[in-house]
């Protein structure tokens, strides 16, 4: 029997905040991995707004985080009554729709209410769900989803969090997102390090911005 990691079916979970460009890059990489490796991905929500509560931040980033509550609240509200499999599928659809506008169309979050309305229409959800963006009614569920990721990696990291066969880490942070077999090779490496007892991190300073091409 072969021990090639590329032949072994694995499970993964990725936690994302729609406003994070680095999480977007990681998600596009995982989509490429799905084409070349036998993996099952669950898509889940974490929140940069929750992560940074109580921290001293510059005014511009704080304003960004104030706007970032809306998308994650809407995703949680739209999926809270579904089975986990159904919720994962819908979370991904909503994530793709938000990311298209925020990152690929370079619209950012300055007009997030307008983007939320467009996303709900595209995915076929009730327009009334936009009202949850400015309320706290699903924050308990949002915090629970976020905390599940933080419990796996601690709170000195950010988004994305990826879990591979129940071993979790921050990242990978990569730009541009590898495609084809290059994506599969990076995945193989992640599976290998995740299976190494006592492995925690490798890191170097980023010198490039997200390449959405």
């Amino acid at each position: 029997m072969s021990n090639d990691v590329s032949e072994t079916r694995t499970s993964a979970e990725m936690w994302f905040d729609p406003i994070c460009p680095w999480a977007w890059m990681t998600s596009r990489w995982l989509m490429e991995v799905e084409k070349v490796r036998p993996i099952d991905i669950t898509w889940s929500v974490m929140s940069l707004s929750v992560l940074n509560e109580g921290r001293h931040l510059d005014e511009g980033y704080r304003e960004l985080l104030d706007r970032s509550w809306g998308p994650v609240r809407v995703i949680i509200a739209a999926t809270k009554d579904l089975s986990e499999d159904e919720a994962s599928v819908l979370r991904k659809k909503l994530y793709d729709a938000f990311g298209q506008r925020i990152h690929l169309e370079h619209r950012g979050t300055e007009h997030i209410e307008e983007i939320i309305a467009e996303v709900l229409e595209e995915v076929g959800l009730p327009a009334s769900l936009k009202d949850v963006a400015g309320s706290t009614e699903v924050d308990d569920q949002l915090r629970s989803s976020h905390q599940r990721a933080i419990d796996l990696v601690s709170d000195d990291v950010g988004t994305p969090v990826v879990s591979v066969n129940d071993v979790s880490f921050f990242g990978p942070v990569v730009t541009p997102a590898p495609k084809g077999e290059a994506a599969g090779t990076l995945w193989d490496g992640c599976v290998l390090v995740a299976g190494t007892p006592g492995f925690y991190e490798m890191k170097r300073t980023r010198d490039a911005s997200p390449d959405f091409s």
Side-chain angles (χ1 to χ4, degrees), residues 53-74:
E53 282 182 320
R55 296 181 179 179
H56 296 289
L57 305 169
D58 68 70
E59 183 176 350
Y61 191 51
R62 174 58 63 192
E63 291 176 354
L64 173 67
L65 294 180
D66 287 345
R67 295 190 296 269
S68 76
W69 285 100
V72 286
R73 284 170 170 164
V74 167

Side-chain angles (χ1 to χ4, degrees), residues 53-127:
E53 282 182 320
R55 296 181 179 179
H56 296 289
L57 305 169
D58 68 70
E59 183 176 350
Y61 191 51
R62 174 58 63 192
E63 291 176 354
L64 173 67
L65 294 180
D66 287 345
R67 295 190 296 269
S68 76
W69 285 100
V72 286
R73 284 170 170 164
V74 167
I75 294 172
I76 291 290
T79 59
K80 65 185 180 69
D81 295 325
L82 301 178
S83 70
E84 182 51 40
D85 287 345
E86 293 172 326
S88 176
V89 170
L90 183 53
R91 285 191 290 259
K92 180 58 164 50
K93 288 181 180 179
L94 288 163
Y95 183 29
D96 289 345
F98 276 118
Q100 171 69 32
R101 291 161 174 80
I102 293 171
H103 304 302
L104 300 188
E105 297 175 10
H106 308 291
R107 292 168 62 183
T109 59
E110 286 76 11
H111 304 287
I112 197 62
E113 296 86 356
E114 177 182 315
I115 288 175
I116 288 171
E118 291 177 9
V119 166
L120 291 172
E121 181 178 9
E122 176 183 324
V123 180
L125 292 172

